[in-house]
Amino acid sequence: MEHYMNALRSYADFSGRNRRKAFWMFMLINIIFSLLTSVIDGITNTMFVSSIYSLALLIPQLSAGARRLHDTGRSGWWQLLWLVPVIGWIVLIVFLAQDSHEGENDFGPNPKELAVEPTTV
């Protein structure tokens, strides 16, 4: 839940990098909430709750995806591959599942390296 809340707090921040775990945990919780809103809509025979939830999470999803792509050394504009049926989806999922580039890249320092505290001798 921590990763979900962090993504919501930085909903309009399209700069920087996002670790793979943080992105996929956000997506997992988002999918669970989407399913719950769909169940609520099925019970009430409307599409109101799921539509509002989807619109509210559009910008946070785009920003989390852009930061994740930044972590792999790609621009956030690669998310436009979602518009290409099947092939684009597969390519984008592969990009989002790749490991971080080591060290700094054009988008900032590696968050994986920042999370590891140096040991003192």
Side-chain angles (χ1 to χ4, degrees):
M1 194 65 161
E2 172 187 341
H3 299 294
Y4 184 78
M5 295 308 293
N6 286 340
L8 291 181
R9 282 187 209 106
S10 58
Y11 74 97
D13 182 14
F14 286 82
S15 62
R17 296 168 68 170
N18 201 7
R19 291 183 67 178
R20 184 171 36 185
K21 179 182 178 182
F23 174 77
W24 288 110
M25 291 302 291
F26 167 72
M27 291 305 293
L28 174 67
I29 294 170
N30 187 30
I31 289 170
I32 291 169
F33 283 160
S34 293
L35 290 173
L36 288 174
T37 59
S38 296
V39 167
I40 292 169
D41 281 344
I43 291 170
T44 61
N45 202 21
T46 64
M47 289 184 59
F48 181 73
V49 177
S50 61
S51 298
I52 295 297
Y53 180 77
S54 296
L55 284 174
L57 268 284
L58 178 64
I59 301 298
Q61 285 176 359
L62 290 174
S63 69
R67 289 191 308 271
R68 177 68 202 131
L69 286 169
H70 289 171
D71 196 38
T72 63
R74 294 177 178 83
S75 169
W77 288 102
W78 279 98
Q79 292 183 88
L80 292 175
L81 285 175
W82 285 122
L83 300 175
V84 180
V86 184
I87 300 296
W89 304 340
I90 292 169
V91 170
L92 192 55
I93 288 171
V94 168
F95 286 170
L96 293 169
Q98 287 180 339
D99 198 13
S100 306
H101 276 200
E102 292 186 18
E104 250 186 76
N105 66 12
D106 294 339
F107 305 102
N110 188 344
K112 190 183 289 186
E113 293 171 359
L114 293 176
V116 178
E117 295 182 20
T119 58
T120 57
V121 180

